[in-house]
Amino acid sequence: MKTLNTIVLTLACLALVSFTVSETNTAQANFEDVGIIKQSLLKPVQFNKTQEGTWILLNGQAIDRGSALYQLLGENFDLNILTKKGDTYYLPNASGAFIRSSNVNGVGLDPDKNRLVGSVQSSEVGPHQHKIDYPLEQSPWGTNVMPDGVWGHYPNRVNAGFSQGRGSKTNTKTLTTKETRPVNITMYTYIKIDN
């Protein structure tokens, strides 16, 4: 009888462990790949035919409170990385933006060391110099001489301005492009919010 009780107890323990592992695997499956971002040449209708789960454009739209992504962010107190208006949270808007990998624990190449994941960083042009196309042989300081910090008309002499303007201040020629950017290819950006 003692052996029978031991066998029954062992089987009961195995069944409990099996149930727990199965339940854990089911819970993990419900969140599999949620929050993953993919880029594609395919439009949303075509893209969703090729994917499992619910994928939406990462274009600043409201996040569904019933989605697995909302649940995961809420469990980890990470909803604060999303924009909130009233009681609604919005995903980041990646439309026309470059995605940059986050620094980890403040270590990385982003000069804004402790940015929140999902935050927007405004455009910026770093320190640089421009070639001057003004004929320096006309410089009042001598042939091919332009002292540092001189930006404008030198009184009673030939104009030393960069764009050949007149007056107290002139500038380098203005570039006509709308932004500073690397070579790029445009894609649709999607995020998985549910399985």
Side-chain angles (χ1 to χ4, degrees), residues 12-156:
C13 287
L14 286 174
L16 182 60
V17 168
S18 175
F19 175 75
T20 305
V21 168
S22 173
E23 189 177 75
T24 302
N25 288 340
T26 302
Q28 288 174 345
N30 290 337
F31 295 119
E32 185 176 352
D33 292 337
V34 169
I36 295 293
I37 292 173
K38 288 186 179 180
Q39 293 187 309
S40 176
L41 294 171
L42 299 176
K43 293 179 181 178
V45 172
Q46 299 165 320
F47 179 79
N48 278 306
K49 289 179 183 177
T50 69
Q51 304 296 312
E52 292 183 15
T54 305
W55 292 80
I56 61 172
L57 285 170
L58 189 60
N59 64 357
Q61 61 186 293
I63 184 171
D64 180 357
R65 286 179 177 262
S67 70
L69 179 60
Y70 186 92
Q71 185 181 344
L72 281 172
L73 291 173
E75 283 177 4
N76 297 312
F77 305 103
D78 286 332
L79 284 170
N80 64 331
I81 68 174
L82 303 177
T83 301
K84 184 179 181 186
K85 294 178 184 171
D87 290 334
T88 306
Y89 289 93
Y90 294 85
L91 293 168
N93 187 354
S95 302
F98 295 96
I99 295 178
R100 182 177 199 164
S101 293
S102 176
N103 288 340
V104 178
N105 298 322
V107 178
L109 298 177
D110 188 341
D112 296 341
K113 296 291 183 194
N114 295 306
R115 286 178 57 204
L116 290 176
V117 171
S119 65
V120 175
Q121 188 177 46
S122 61
S123 62
E124 189 173 281
V125 178
H128 65 284
Q129 296 178 336
H130 291 272
K131 181 179 178 184
I132 301 169
D133 65 357
Y134 186 79
L136 291 178
E137 63 274 6
Q138 296 178 25
S139 169
W141 298 276
T143 302
N144 295 324
V145 174
M146 180 66 72
D148 288 339
V150 175
W151 292 81
H153 186 72
Y154 192 77
N156 305 316

